[in-house]
Amino acid sequence: MPETRPDGSSRKQQEEGMGASSVAARREQSRSETEQLMEAVVARENLVSAYQRVMSNKGVAGVDKMTVEQLKAHLQKHWERIKEELLSGRYQPQPVLGVKIPKPGGGGVRQLGIPTVVDRLIQQALHQALSPLFDPGFSESSYGYRAGRSAHQAVKQARQYVSEGRRWVVDLDLEKFFDRVNHDILMSRVARKVGDKRVLGLIRRYLQAGLMAEGVVSPRVEGTPQGGPLSPLLSNILLDELDKELERRGHKFCRYADDCNIYVQSRAAGERVIKSVTSFLSQRLHLRVNADKSAVARPWQRKFLGYSITWDKQPRLKVAKTSIQRFKVKLREQCRAGRGRNLKRFIEELKPVLRGWVNYFRLAEVKGVFEELDGWLRRKLRCLLWRQWKRNFTRAKALMRRGLEKVRSWKSATNGRGPWWNAGASHMNEAFPKSFFDRIGLVSLLSQLRRLQST
């Protein structure tokens, strides 16, 4: 028989009661700590770290025209007043500066909202204070905007799911996610772990801060503008509810910000999932799925974070076709800007772009495209030279200086063909071979990839 206590309860019942009391006490203590969260936000150590982050990120000025270089002097003069306003819950953020940038692949424009540097500092300090409360509870399948997590981890996990036999993907595209976040729903999720009404009020004021475009400030009733340090964390807080629902249903998925792929074993399963998840997002989070951009398809027919995969039984990662096209567009723009300039100096400016691209796509296991891009870029540079020479006389002399015979040089210079054709012709390839570009410092994408993958 269980041991009976003087009050008539068993030892087990008392222990369970003590356990419940302990949990309640811990929750109360945690709640009490978050009720003083603003003090942690404005703490010196937190602010120094936030200041260093804002300075390292640089960025353009906001509506007040203040640059990051001017921030220190401004804080020395005004920080005590700003701090007092934050602690008393009276601080009012300034409107964000509306900036439109082209979406990748030419799919319209994306609206950014650039806060002032002071507001960037405060948002960064908020981010640093809030992250320890929320991040530990986020899903293991969430990879975006989180310390110690990356797009590369998401891509490798996606490949693993496909190799395990989940050879259908539900590719979800949330329609204008950052523009359509419901403020009340988001704030209710934040309030689950934040008890400090000053912090909650400040976050809501940041959400509702107007957007200035063409000198006119427009109020905002929904959305969390991209461009501030706080928006990525807020997006993860809201979409964590989607993650938890997918986990509850037993799905295998990868989410990076608003880019979410769910891996299933059949088309029929995928159709059921996309229908039910679309309904969940609409009813619970008031978010819409873009039906035109979302799909149930084979993983090798879609892209995820710039990558795609092969259809092999053991799938290999490759650069998605749209990523290659986007890269070529960027290089074409730079080559147009490089007309008339010294080739060696222009190549020096290209180096960071080339290295950055290869570094991101260093997981690629299909390498032929890197060699093709190397050849394409050398042809673009030969085309640039041909355009610079302009006259037939100049072209013939340049070819002769590079070792071509006089008759052949003149015949090539006067062939009447366009710059792109000549850039790929034998006379330009012989005059400016790969070894020439290697000597003047052109980065080989294929060689760079091999070096990264060998380390």
Side-chain angles (χ1 to χ4, degrees), residues 180-187 207 221-223 238 285-287:
R180 291 186 172 160
V181 168
N182 183 285
H183 290 175
D184 291 336
I185 293 175
L186 172 57
M187 290 307 303
L207 291 172
V221 294
E222 63 179 1
L238 183 65
L285 301 180
H286 292 192
L287 296 173

Side-chain angles (χ1 to χ4, degrees), residues 95-96 98 207-222:
V96 296
L207 291 172
Q208 295 176 338
L211 184 141
M212 179 180 284
E214 298 179 356
V216 178
V217 177
S218 304
R220 273 207 319 272
V221 294
E222 63 179 1

Side-chain angles (χ1 to χ4, degrees), residues 1-5 7-20:
M1 284 182 63
E3 180 185 347
T4 303
R5 313 305 293 169
D7 63 0
S9 66
S10 68
R11 180 189 294 274
K12 183 178 180 181
Q13 288 173 327
Q14 281 217 342
E15 288 175 350
E16 287 176 349
M18 290 173 65

Side-chain angles (χ1 to χ4, degrees), residues 362-434:
R362 66 180 182 270
L363 299 181
E365 298 160 289
V366 179
K367 301 176 183 177
V369 66
F370 291 84
E371 187 173 12
E372 292 171 11
L373 281 169
D374 277 336
W376 178 86
L377 180 55
R378 288 194 296 270
R379 185 172 179 178
K380 287 296 294 182
L381 295 174
R382 293 186 190 108
C383 183
L384 190 149
L385 288 171
W386 191 264
R387 289 181 182 278
Q388 285 180 352
W389 296 333
K390 293 183 180 178
R391 296 185 301 162
N392 291 343
F393 175 82
T394 309
R395 289 167 177 167
K397 288 295 184 182
L399 292 173
M400 284 188 276
R401 282 197 299 272
R402 292 297 305 165
L404 269 64
E405 294 179 354
K406 183 176 180 180
V407 172
R408 188 182 178 196
S409 296
W410 276 103
K411 185 177 179 181
S412 300
T414 57
N415 61 30
R417 301 275 191 168
W420 183 247
W421 185 93
N422 277 283
S426 60
H427 54 271
M428 284 297 282
N429 275 272
E430 288 179 32
F432 298 94
K434 180 181 181 299

